[in-house]
Amino acid sequence: MHIIVCIKQVPDTTEVKIDPETNNLDRSSAQAILNPYDAHGVEEAVRIRSQFGGKVSVISMGPPSAVEAIKKCIELGADEGYLLSDRLFAGSDTLATSYILTRGILEISRGEPFSMIICGKQAIDGDTAQVGPGIARRLGLPQLTYVKSITGIDQDNHRLTVHRKLEDGYEVVEVKMPCLLTVEKEINHLSYSSFPDMIRAARYRPRVLGAGDLEVDPSLMGIKGSPTTVNKIFPPSRREQGEILQGERAQVVEQLIIKLQHRVMNNGS
């Protein structure tokens, strides 16, 4: 079983700031990390390989510095890593990114067809959750999004059973492989890296593929292939500090009613 996991290097959003003059993300203000949802995708792929055998490959599109995110995946137990990096890829939106990753997946699976592609539910720097479904659409694969657990794998019949997260519960879905999954963080708990994997990750050098290696159409990637434009990025306005009401239940209810009445009166004036 060959499992391909799509991963991304992102700025740590607990540290990222916005430039007040340009309204753009100041990526230099935050440490670059492996997208947390993708880390859980790698963990799940490694667990499946441990049970059923096979190989786990990770693939990422990004600048040369994204090598560090791939090395982190090797530390988590992945077998191979591929970085899609080229100046022609710069400025790609989610549509163009899904195209480039699709071409990369086709390239690395020539000799070893994949059974499953796993993506994190979304990247924490964009929160669009569009790239995984975009890849599935381009490859003509069945896709299962918001997967919270994989409950069964039938290799003989190429079937996979998962629980998909819904707002008010979950649904059980069976799908034929090959397929694409986007996973939630709750699908597993990240395990500690083994010492041999840490040593291997420190020495590992992923294969870097450029536009010339992927047989791509330049009009479908980069700024040319990106219909999305971002006019402005800004932080949400700071909310007023909440107030905790003290006392017995009846007293708290009375205080709340009075405050709500005052608010209604003030808003109406």
Side-chain angles (χ1 to χ4, degrees):
M1 181 180 292
H2 184 197
I3 304 174
I4 298 177
V5 186
C6 299
I7 65 109
K8 184 180 182 183
Q9 185 185 59
V10 296
D12 187 343
T13 53
T14 61
E15 301 177 12
V16 73
K17 300 177 182 178
I18 294 179
D19 188 320
E21 295 184 2
T22 64
N23 289 314
N24 291 327
L25 288 176
D26 179 8
R27 293 178 181 268
S28 64
S29 66
Q31 178 184 1
I33 61 172
L34 171 64
N35 182 48
Y37 289 99
D38 300 343
H40 287 274
V42 175
E43 176 77 18
E44 193 66 18
V46 170
R47 292 186 180 196
I48 294 171
R49 183 203 60 197
S50 298
Q51 183 176 359
F52 296 96
K55 178 181 178 181
V56 174
S57 300
V58 298
I59 185 170
S60 181
M61 188 195 85
S65 60
V67 164
E68 295 305 315
I70 293 176
K71 294 175 73 170
K72 178 61 179 178
C73 295
I74 299 298
E75 185 178 314
L76 291 173
D79 298 297
E80 300 291 346
Y82 299 85
L83 175 63
L84 311 181
S85 187
D86 196 296
R87 289 183 180 274
L88 294 177
F89 302 160
S92 294
D93 66 359
T94 55
L95 183 68
T97 297
S98 69
Y99 171 71
I100 296 166
L101 284 170
T102 297
R103 301 308 304 174
I105 290 168
L106 291 173
E107 175 63 27
I108 69 175
S109 62
R110 287 182 187 274
E112 296 178 272
F114 59 84
S115 301
M116 190 187 313
I117 298 174
I118 298 179
C119 303
K121 179 184 73 172
Q122 63 195 51
I124 61 173
D125 62 343
D127 289 338
T128 65
Q130 294 173 348
V131 173
I135 293 171
R137 177 65 180 85
R138 292 182 184 279
L139 291 173
L141 296 175
Q143 57 175 301
L144 298 175
T145 54
Y146 306 105
V147 174
K148 65 186 290 288
S149 63
I150 297 176
T151 56
I153 296 178
D154 183 349
Q155 280 191 292
D156 294 333
N157 296 305
H158 307 287
R159 308 295 295 184
L160 178 72
T161 305
V162 308
H163 286 186
R164 290 186 64 244
K165 187 175 182 180
L166 304 176
E167 289 185 0
D168 55 353
Y170 65 87
E171 69 176 357
V172 181
V173 185
E174 185 180 81
V175 66
K176 187 173 180 63
M177 297 186 287
C179 59
L180 182 144
L181 314 179
T182 71
V183 300
E184 297 275 358
K185 289 182 183 178
E186 62 193 88
I187 194 169
N188 54 48
H189 296 286
L190 297 180
S191 56
Y192 292 104
S193 301
S194 68
F195 186 68
D197 283 337
M198 293 172 67
I199 296 297
R200 181 168 179 260
R203 299 172 178 172
Y204 189 77
R205 295 293 180 269
R207 183 182 172 191
V208 180
L209 301 172
D213 302 306
L214 303 180
E215 301 178 4
V216 290
D217 181 346
S219 68
L220 298 178
M221 60 190 191
I223 296 176
K224 290 183 179 180
S226 302
T228 306
T229 57
V230 179
N231 293 324
K232 185 177 181 181
I233 297 177
F234 56 91
S237 57
R238 186 180 296 275
R239 296 182 179 180
E240 295 181 6
Q241 185 174 358
E243 180 183 355
I244 299 177
L245 302 179
Q246 305 287 345
E248 298 294 331
R249 182 181 302 176
Q251 294 174 327
V252 170
V253 170
E254 184 178 355
Q255 293 177 58
L256 180 60
I257 292 173
I258 293 172
K259 289 182 179 294
L260 290 174
Q261 288 174 337
H262 286 168
R263 177 172 294 184
V264 171
M265 292 173 60
N266 292 333
N267 290 337
S269 59

